[in-house]
Amino acid sequence: MHKLKNIKWLPILMGFTILAIAAFQLYWLQKAYEREQRTLERQAIMLFRETVRSVQASKLKLDRLVDTSKTTRIVVRPTEKTMRMANSPHQKIEGVLDVVMKKLRDSSGHTMVFEQVTDSLKMARPFQGRRDRMMQFLFDLDSLQDSIKVIELDTAYSRRLEEQNLDVPFFISRVKTRETNEPVYNEVTLGFQRPITYRMDLGNTTGFVLKRISVPIIFSVFLLGFTVLSFSVLYINLLRQHRLANIKNEFISNITHELKTPIATVSVAIEALRSFNASLDPQKTKEYLDISSNELQRLSLLVDKVLKLSMFEKKEVELQYEHLDMKSLIEEVTSSMRLQFEKHHAQVTLHTFGDMHLEGDRLHLVSVIFNLLDNAIKYSADAPKINIDIKGDANNVNLIISDSGIGIPTEYQNRIFEKFFRVPTGNLHNAKGYGLGLSYVAHVINRHKGTIGVGSVQGNGSKFIISLPKQRS
């Protein structure tokens, strides 16, 4: 496997990529927000102007202006005075004409034709000093403007906004009429001699605009979240592969050393028998043969442990269930380990309570007990004190094995059941292993539908707690 030498740069690269995506999404959402904001303002202003003209039209009386029996032709010539009075004279006059036209269309059906004389026409046909009927009528409208109240506009405008599903706050006020070259779209001026200007201001429309662009926001959040999740999973997998590569290399190094030791020992024993006439000395022959036998057994156990763990992970092993007595299994293992206990001056105490019978695989459960007791010896600096408690209840058999060893640091307790993982033991030279024992134990217990946990305080020993169901599930 390729060594991930540049893995430390991956978080930086991923971070820059995520930031770039987030920046692009924010830019896109900002543009969408501004676009929706402009659309809302235009729509609100258009409705406001229509509302003002509508209210004005509702108050307009045309009885003395129009002869309903015939078509009326009215010529409008704005004077210099009227041009100065309006913010945008053409726009205001045209607006008033729109109001009149609307009122006429809503009346009995007669037709009125308008002509508006612009400045250029005014130069060709000078003002004669009299006002025609339409201009007189328009100037008479000044008295009408005072009857339009802000509260009326507020009510009518609210109704128009509700019809358009525009739930936005607004404020309508009367402001001072001022002359300007550029039209102010959120202001409407009524009247000529005494003009009155109404202004509409929108309140905080952020919530409404955000609601309008909620789909793009949700999509952006989903895209960014999916990207972050993907990068996180990728980086975690890379770290895991990197860690497994290191563990694998360490395992290969350890197991190579462990394999070389028995092979070298057996080779030396055979060479001694062959070269130094040890065969003539029965005692020497027996000693060398015992050494070879022990080393070969050690080699066989190592290979068997690796193969069993591999088969468990591939689920190729079928458990051979039979009726067992946990107390008998403990006594069987402690009896076979008697020489090891004596060698390390270990004190083993067994406590039992309740019914300890269950269904399980004898071979693998014996191996579990052996591994836990072997660890209790290996990871104790001096004479180990090992306590074994067996408690049976209605449904489970609980096995607790505790020791007085060096303990397990808190940061490693969640990892001790991982394959190839070994807790650093400092200068404890007799703690040899391959990181397979507890992984094998956990696999066996899980296959029996049981649970295993550990409680340990560094320097005060460890306690392994196993719970196995009595009946095969």
Side-chain angles (χ1 to χ4, degrees):
M1 176 179 171
H2 176 65
K3 293 183 178 180
L4 304 176
K5 296 180 180 180
N6 298 323
I7 195 172
K8 62 181 181 179
W9 297 106
L10 287 179
I12 300 176
L13 179 60
M14 292 178 178
F16 276 125
T17 304
I18 292 173
L19 287 177
I21 295 175
F24 173 77
Q25 292 297 318
L26 286 176
Y27 174 79
W28 179 52
L29 290 176
Q30 181 183 4
K31 292 300 180 183
Y33 180 89
E34 293 174 354
R35 186 166 55 251
E36 288 294 333
Q37 183 72 25
R38 289 193 299 269
T39 301
L40 174 62
E41 290 176 354
R42 286 195 296 266
Q43 193 172 3
I45 289 174
M46 179 188 68
L47 291 176
F48 172 67
R49 301 180 74 86
E50 291 178 356
T51 301
V52 175
R53 301 302 182 193
S54 176
V55 173
Q56 186 183 22
S58 68
K59 294 178 176 293
L60 193 59
K61 305 297 183 182
L62 299 177
D63 296 338
R64 62 188 182 88
L65 174 66
V66 179
D67 183 358
T68 58
S69 63
K70 59 182 179 179
T71 300
T72 303
R73 182 179 184 87
I74 298 176
V75 179
V76 179
R77 296 184 179 89
T79 65
E80 182 180 357
K81 182 179 179 181
T82 62
M83 294 293 287
R84 289 199 302 268
M85 285 182 179
N87 288 5
S88 181
H90 289 285
Q91 181 181 0
K92 188 172 72 170
I93 293 175
E94 289 171 1
V96 174
L97 295 180
D98 289 341
V99 171
V100 175
M101 288 296 292
K102 181 180 186 301
K103 189 68 176 180
L104 290 173
R105 284 194 299 269
D106 296 338
S107 62
S108 59
H110 56 268
T111 305
M112 181 176 266
V113 181
F114 291 91
E115 289 183 6
Q116 180 178 345
V117 181
T118 62
D119 291 340
S120 60
L121 294 177
K122 176 183 173 185
M123 296 297 293
R125 294 182 296 176
F127 183 58
Q128 302 296 325
R130 64 179 180 84
R131 296 175 178 173
D132 56 30
R133 293 177 63 195
M134 184 61 188
M135 287 305 299
Q136 181 63 48
F137 172 76
L138 293 177
F139 282 118
D140 289 343
L141 288 178
D142 285 344
S143 61
L144 178 65
Q145 316 311 324
D146 293 332
S147 66
I148 300 178
K149 305 299 182 184
V150 173
I151 187 66
E152 290 182 90
L153 294 178
D154 191 282
T155 302
Y157 189 54
S158 296
R159 187 163 53 249
R160 293 296 297 273
L161 290 178
E162 185 177 353
E163 291 173 357
Q164 299 296 323
N165 294 322
L166 297 178
D167 185 15
V168 292
F170 65 90
F171 178 73
I172 298 177
S173 59
R174 287 177 58 171
V175 297
K176 182 179 179 181
T177 303
R178 62 186 187 277
E179 295 183 10
T180 176
N181 294 327
E182 296 294 332
V184 182
Y185 294 107
N186 65 330
E187 294 182 1
V188 177
T189 300
L190 304 179
F192 292 90
Q193 290 180 325
R194 297 189 306 276
I196 297 176
T197 301
Y198 297 92
R199 179 185 178 91
M200 187 278 299
D201 294 294
L202 291 176
N204 185 4
T205 59
T206 302
F208 181 81
V209 177
L210 290 178
K211 185 178 179 180
R212 275 193 166 186
I213 62 172
S214 58
V215 174
I217 291 176
I218 293 174
F219 175 76
S220 297
V221 172
F222 171 77
L223 179 62
L224 186 61
F226 183 77
T227 303
V228 172
L229 178 63
S230 300
F231 281 178
S232 299
V233 172
L234 175 62
Y235 185 64
I236 291 173
N237 287 335
L238 289 175
L239 286 179
R240 185 177 300 164
Q241 291 180 11
H242 186 61
R243 186 173 65 250
L244 288 176
N246 291 335
I247 292 174
K248 182 201 69 175
N249 293 335
E250 183 180 355
F251 167 74
I252 292 175
S253 177
N254 290 336
I255 201 170
T256 300
H257 174 74
E258 294 297 326
L259 289 173
K260 283 184 177 180
T261 301
I263 293 174
T265 303
V266 172
S267 299
V268 170
I270 293 175
E271 185 67 23
L273 287 173
R274 181 183 299 167
S275 303
F276 300 101
N277 296 322
S279 58
L280 300 178
D281 186 346
Q283 186 63 30
K284 287 287 186 181
T285 301
K286 184 178 183 304
E287 180 180 353
Y288 289 148
L289 290 176
D290 287 342
I291 292 174
S292 300
S293 177
N294 290 334
E295 293 298 322
L296 290 174
Q297 184 179 8
R298 177 182 170 190
L299 183 61
S300 176
L301 288 174
L302 172 61
V303 174
D304 184 63
K305 187 179 294 184
V306 175
L307 290 176
K308 283 182 179 179
L309 184 62
S310 176
M311 287 188 292
F312 263 110
E313 288 190 335
K314 294 179 181 179
K315 298 183 179 180
E316 294 177 354
V317 174
E318 291 294 332
L319 299 180
Q320 303 297 321
Y321 282 91
E322 57 183 295
H323 292 285
L324 303 172
D325 182 358
M326 182 60 73
K327 181 180 179 181
S328 298
L329 296 181
I330 294 293
E331 291 175 346
E332 177 183 338
V333 175
T334 54
S335 176
S336 65
M337 297 181 68
R338 181 173 55 84
L339 294 179
Q340 295 185 49
F341 293 150
E342 291 177 355
K343 177 181 179 181
H344 294 91
H345 307 288
Q347 299 179 14
V348 181
T349 306
L350 175 62
H351 302 280
T352 60
F353 178 80
D355 181 22
M356 293 163 285
H357 291 83
L358 76 159
E359 291 185 357
D361 187 293
R362 170 183 289 273
L363 174 63
H364 292 297
L365 289 180
V366 166
S367 297
V368 166
I369 298 169
F370 176 84
N371 273 281
L372 293 177
L373 293 178
D374 185 54
N375 283 345
I377 295 174
K378 288 196 300 183
Y379 294 101
S380 296
D382 297 319
K385 294 182 180 179
I386 303 173
N387 292 319
I388 305 174
D389 296 305
I390 310 173
K391 298 179 182 179
D393 55 32
N395 299 314
N396 301 298
V397 174
N398 302 310
L399 172 63
I400 303 174
I401 299 179
S402 55
D403 59 61
S404 59
I406 61 174
I408 303 172
T410 304
E411 61 269 24
Y412 298 124
Q413 291 182 17
N414 292 330
R415 300 186 56 194
I416 59 174
F417 298 111
E418 294 179 10
K419 186 170 64 172
F420 305 134
F421 179 78
R422 296 190 65 213
V423 178
T425 56
N427 295 324
L428 195 61
H429 299 293
N430 63 325
K432 297 179 180 179
Y434 327 104
L436 296 175
L438 290 179
S439 179
Y440 168 77
V441 168
H443 274 81
V444 172
I445 299 302
N446 289 335
R447 287 293 299 276
H448 280 81
K449 308 300 181 184
T451 61
I452 182 170
V454 61
S456 180
V457 177
Q458 190 172 7
N460 291 324
S462 303
K463 179 187 293 185
F464 288 88
I465 304 170
I466 296 174
S467 179
L468 292 169
K470 286 187 174 182
Q471 301 296 327
R472 178 182 179 182
S473 57

